[in-house]
Amino acid sequence: GAVVSQHPSRVICKSGTSVKIECRSLDFQATTMFWYRQFPKQSLMLMATSNEGSKATYEQGVEKDKFLINHASLTLSTLTVTSAHPEDSSFYICSATLAGSYAGELFFGEGSRLTVL
Amino acid sequence: SQKIEQNSEALNIQEGKTATLTCNYTNYSPAYLQWYRQDPGRGPVFLLLIRENEKEKRKERLKVTFDTTLKQSLFHITASQPADSATYLCAVELTGGGNKLTFGTGTQLKVEL
């Protein structure tokens, strides 16, 4: 199946710094990628939809200036958490669908655990 | 509002038995429903998809049913094994489409020897 790679898998940063997370589709082109966030014992919450070559679409309640998303190529989307604070500590997961997929089953990356001190 | 509910209590079963997990949804009329497996600290892995016009779908030891009248999907694992222990998530497409999925909170399954 399709492989999605995320990097880094774990990151610890100081409060106020920015952190970039990369999401790559390794063996297919992903015109659309999705970024989710998951807090402990909770479900995945969709943050934004990342479209190649255009601005990301953010879900209600997600600050677009805080969570910068760039989808510069068909195989790479990045999420930058700017001026991170402890409450941003979470598990961030990207996903992508295969072009032409009828029902859009998602292929997920391994996730990136962010800890803000 | 649209809501997906899964049993938040962990399900413990004995190896070899059939595990049955439930997913209920309200204020939805999804065209399809998906099931994923998630291991601790990992991203979810797609398992099965069932469409609204399908009553049942099978894949090896997995079986999914979809009752649009009850607004419920059941996920079965037959001949369960300790390796099946994980959290299982159901998901439906958000209204408006675009392949945006909303997930249930998941049910943790533990298969004991």
Side-chain angles (χ1 to χ4, degrees):
Chain A
V3 178
V4 175
S5 174
Q6 249 182 275
H7 178 80
S9 57
R10 280 189 172 80
V11 57
I12 301 173
C13 69
K14 292 182 179 179
S15 185
T17 60
S18 294
V19 174
K20 180 187 284 188
I21 300 170
E22 293 186 347
C23 178
R24 294 180 186 274
S25 56
L26 296 186
D27 51 359
F28 67 102
Q29 293 183 333
T31 54
T32 302
M33 288 184 173
F34 303 93
W35 286 94
Y36 286 83
R37 180 168 54 181
Q38 187 176 34
F39 292 105
K41 303 291 185 182
Q42 294 188 24
S43 186
L44 285 76
M45 296 299 297
L46 180 64
M47 298 175 67
T49 302
S50 169
N51 298 297
E52 186 267 336
S54 65
K55 290 183 178 180
T57 305
Y58 291 82
E59 295 301 307
Q60 193 173 10
V62 178
E63 299 175 58
K64 62 180 181 180
D65 293 330
K66 180 166 186 63
F67 299 100
L68 300 178
I69 292 173
N70 185 286
H71 196 151
S73 78
L74 287 172
T75 59
L76 174 64
S77 176
T78 60
L79 167 68
T80 301
V81 183
T82 62
S83 186
H85 291 284
E87 58 266 29
D88 298 323
S89 299
S90 187
F91 192 51
Y92 293 87
I93 319 174
C94 70
S95 65
T97 63
L98 287 174
S101 170
Y102 167 75
E105 57 266 36
L106 295 180
F107 297 94
F108 283 88
E110 290 297 317
S112 300
R113 182 159 307 280
L114 170 64
T115 302
V116 184
L117 302 176
Chain B
S1 62
Q2 298 171 327
K3 194 185 290 185
I4 298 180
E5 292 180 324
Q6 293 183 256
N7 193 341
S8 59
E9 290 183 18
L11 177 63
N12 295 331
I13 65 167
Q14 210 168 15
E15 183 180 20
K17 301 290 186 185
T18 296
T20 299
L21 287 73
T22 305
C23 176
N24 296 298
Y25 57 93
T26 55
N27 297 323
Y28 273 110
S29 293
Y32 57 86
L33 187 145
Q34 303 183 26
W35 283 89
Y36 290 79
R37 168 184 173 141
Q38 186 175 25
D39 290 284
R42 310 288 292 273
V45 175
F46 171 78
L47 295 175
L48 276 170
L49 178 153
I50 186 166
R51 297 184 172 87
E52 60 178 342
N53 60 350
E54 297 174 316
K55 296 289 187 189
E56 181 180 297
K57 198 80 166 280
R58 290 174 185 263
K59 179 182 175 183
E60 298 173 352
R61 293 185 297 111
L62 308 180
K63 184 179 84 172
V64 172
T65 62
F66 194 10
D67 189 326
T68 54
T69 302
L70 290 178
K71 293 186 180 296
Q72 181 181 80
S73 175
L74 298 178
F75 177 79
H76 306 273
I77 305 176
T78 58
S80 59
Q81 305 165 0
D84 295 326
S85 299
T87 295
Y88 292 86
L89 307 164
C90 67
V92 297
E93 188 179 45
L94 286 169
T95 299
N99 291 338
K100 296 198 298 184
L101 296 182
T102 187
F103 286 81
T105 52
T107 298
Q108 185 180 4
L109 171 67
K110 185 172 181 182
V111 181
E112 299 166 333
L113 292 170

